[in-house]
Amino acid sequence: MPSSAVSAAYPRAVLFDLLTALLDSWTVWNRAAGSEAQGRAWRAEYLRRTYGCGAYLPYERLVEEAAAAVGLPAGAPAALEAQWDQLPAWDGARELLQALRPHCLLGVVTNCSERLGRRAAGLLGVDWDVVVTSEAAGFYKPDPRPYEMALARLQVAPTQAAFVAGSGYDMFGTAKVGLRTYWHNRVGLLLPEGAMEPEVQSPRLEEALPWLARFSLG
């Protein structure tokens, strides 16, 4: 993107969590699990494993191990992957990205494998300036290295960038890196103990645009 296209009031770059902030992966996980309760339990166990392991372990393996740990049928992970290309965007996600495209560099920082992360990123119809997966970074968020890799590839300082989170655990990582953060808390998750409060928290994405449009004004 030409530097002249970047508007002064916006951050130079906006980075996004992918599978929770922009895409409704909850619905697909629940469907693959057979019910919302089972899907929530599976997802919670998967998140516990990814946020706890730090250095990258194969994403698909962690998904399978989490399914087994909560007693799901052996076919649940395969059912999830079979529906991967049907991950729906949250209301307002594509509109937000289209509105930001003329003003900011856009990137994804996602806890996922390269194979599945890039497939999911492609569902938004955006020409991303950077896509960083935990596999590429070698670490899972909230380790600072995935966020730092995205910023380095964009050649943007943390103070010149914003992050749109989907999980409260992102606040641990963005605080370490120095990224101002908007938490799209769509499903009403609790902020993990010890995590820094985001600058803005909302169950919808619509409030992100006015926040980003006055970003450099404080």
Side-chain angles (χ1 to χ4, degrees):
M1 171 186 284
S3 59
S4 60
V6 181
S7 301
Y10 288 84
R12 286 193 61 208
V14 184
L15 302 176
F16 291 86
D17 170 77
L18 178 62
L19 298 175
T20 313
L22 293 175
L23 296 173
D24 175 14
S25 55
W26 296 94
T27 297
V28 175
W29 280 67
N30 294 347
R31 193 160 57 230
S35 72
E36 181 176 354
Q38 289 178 304
R40 289 280 186 128
W42 181 17
R43 187 70 175 275
E45 177 62 20
Y46 150 77
L47 290 173
R48 186 187 70 78
R49 289 168 183 265
T50 54
Y51 288 119
C53 72
Y56 183 78
L57 295 173
Y59 174 84
E60 292 85 350
R61 184 205 304 174
L62 294 181
V63 171
E64 291 177 2
E65 290 176 351
V70 299
L72 290 181
L80 175 64
E81 184 166 339
Q83 300 175 67
W84 197 257
D85 294 325
Q86 300 165 29
L87 288 165
W90 288 118
D91 293 343
R94 290 188 177 90
E95 291 82 357
L96 174 61
L97 294 169
Q98 290 167 3
L100 292 173
R101 178 75 277 181
H103 307 289
C104 312
L105 300 168
L106 300 177
V108 158
V109 184
T110 180
N111 274 356
C112 201
S113 63
E114 275 286 292
R115 181 176 65 90
L116 294 179
R118 289 189 174 275
R119 277 170 58 186
L123 299 174
L124 277 304
V126 173
D127 183 15
W128 297 104
D129 295 291
V130 68
V131 174
V132 169
T133 65
S134 50
E135 182 177 9
F139 289 85
Y140 280 101
K141 299 182 297 175
D143 187 283
R145 278 165 277 202
Y147 312 92
E148 291 169 345
M149 176 179 280
L151 292 170
R153 289 183 176 178
L154 293 174
Q155 299 183 355
V156 173
T159 55
Q160 298 174 304
F163 190 81
V164 178
S167 165
Y169 286 95
D170 266 310
M171 260 51 80
F172 290 108
T174 58
K176 289 179 182 178
V177 175
L179 282 167
R180 292 166 60 186
T181 304
Y182 179 103
W183 184 11
H184 175 214
N185 189 6
R186 191 65 173 233
V187 297
L189 300 171
L190 295 176
L191 186 69
E193 184 177 355
M196 182 177 292
E197 290 281 346
E199 191 163 322
V200 181
Q201 179 179 168
S202 173
R204 303 191 65 79
L205 282 167
E206 284 82 350
E207 295 173 40
L209 185 59
W211 176 67
L212 292 164
R214 60 176 185 269
F215 187 84
S216 65
L217 305 179

